Amino acid sequence: MDRIKKLYELHKEAIFRYFLRMSGNWEEAGELTQEVFYQACLSIFRFRNESSLKTWLFSIARNVYLKSLRDKHKHNTLPWEEGVPWCDRMTREADTLGESFIIKEQRQRIQEALARLPENTRTILILKEYEQLTYEEIAEVFGQTVNWARVTFFRAKRQLGQVYRELEGDDR
């Protein structure tokens, strides 16, 4: 049980941030984070040190998220269809009110663009850019090769840029 407590303390914030970025909902992110550590408790005895505990947890997190999407899809609603309430706390401080507004607007557009991407694409971008996982760790989470992780991340960035530019065009 001490191992799970340490694991929880070390990785709870990263797992929560992953879910927050995937769902856009604080409450849902908290519930899914709890589910990850519950599942980790149930299966820690099967962990064989073939990957790091961090990538093992993100693999569990991804599976938990996919299950929550399937459950929601049964009810015909996806988290980004409801209008995503992005928290102002995620906006960094800026020198002027105008800069702050622009930064907040850009972050919201990025979050909206992320929400429009397929799950695999969003997950790779979030794990690499926000959670700073290596290509090796991302490959482990997905059960793929390192080359697959690199290529898929490159394509994901390109796809995000395209969606972002489309959203910018909507404002004009």
Side-chain angles (χ1 to χ4, degrees):
M1 198 55 138
D2 285 340
R3 187 175 185 189
I4 292 294
K5 277 184 176 179
K6 285 181 184 176
L7 199 59
Y8 177 76
E9 289 303 318
L10 281 172
H11 300 291
K12 69 180 177 187
E13 291 174 10
I15 298 294
F16 178 82
R17 286 190 309 263
Y18 165 73
F19 286 131
L20 182 60
R21 289 184 178 108
M22 291 298 284
S23 71
N25 182 298
W26 285 84
E27 186 175 316
E28 183 178 1
E31 290 172 7
L32 294 174
T33 299
Q34 289 176 353
E35 180 64 21
V36 166
F37 288 98
Y38 173 71
Q39 294 298 325
C41 284
L42 294 178
S43 58
I44 190 79
F45 68 92
R46 291 192 306 241
F47 180 73
R48 304 220 189 298
N49 289 322
E50 293 170 358
S51 65
S52 71
L53 285 168
K54 180 179 177 181
T55 57
W56 178 69
L57 282 174
F58 274 110
S59 296
I60 293 171
R62 181 167 182 261
N63 289 332
V64 165
Y65 184 72
L66 290 174
K67 182 183 180 316
S68 79
L69 281 183
R70 283 190 301 273
D71 292 348
K72 284 181 182 180
H73 189 65
K74 288 178 187 175
H75 296 89
N76 294 328
T77 178
L78 294 173
W80 51 85
E81 290 176 337
E82 300 167 353
V84 183
W86 300 104
C87 182
D88 287 6
R89 285 181 264 170
M90 295 184 77
T91 303
R92 68 182 162 108
E93 294 203 16
D95 293 336
T96 69
L97 183 58
E99 286 178 2
S100 179
F101 177 77
I102 290 168
I103 290 168
K104 181 179 178 184
E105 187 177 89
Q106 288 172 339
R107 286 179 181 230
Q108 286 176 331
R109 192 173 292 129
I110 289 169
Q111 293 303 332
E112 186 177 343
L114 274 171
R116 291 183 181 200
L117 297 175
E119 180 275 330
N120 281 354
T121 305
R122 275 183 301 149
T123 296
I124 288 170
L125 288 166
I126 289 168
L127 294 180
K128 182 71 176 145
E129 291 297 322
Y130 292 101
E131 298 306 326
Q132 303 294 301
L133 267 66
T134 64
Y135 291 115
E136 291 79 11
E137 291 171 323
I138 292 169
E140 288 177 28
V141 168
F142 281 88
Q144 298 287 339
T145 66
V146 174
N147 191 48
W148 176 90
R150 288 178 194 277
V151 169
T152 306
F153 176 70
F154 173 78
R155 290 177 181 160
K157 283 193 327 185
R158 189 173 47 190
Q159 190 175 359
L160 178 64
Q162 180 180 352
V163 172
Y164 182 88
R165 285 186 296 281
E166 288 170 8
L167 289 171
E168 275 188 319
D170 289 349
D171 289 348
R172 293 179 188 166

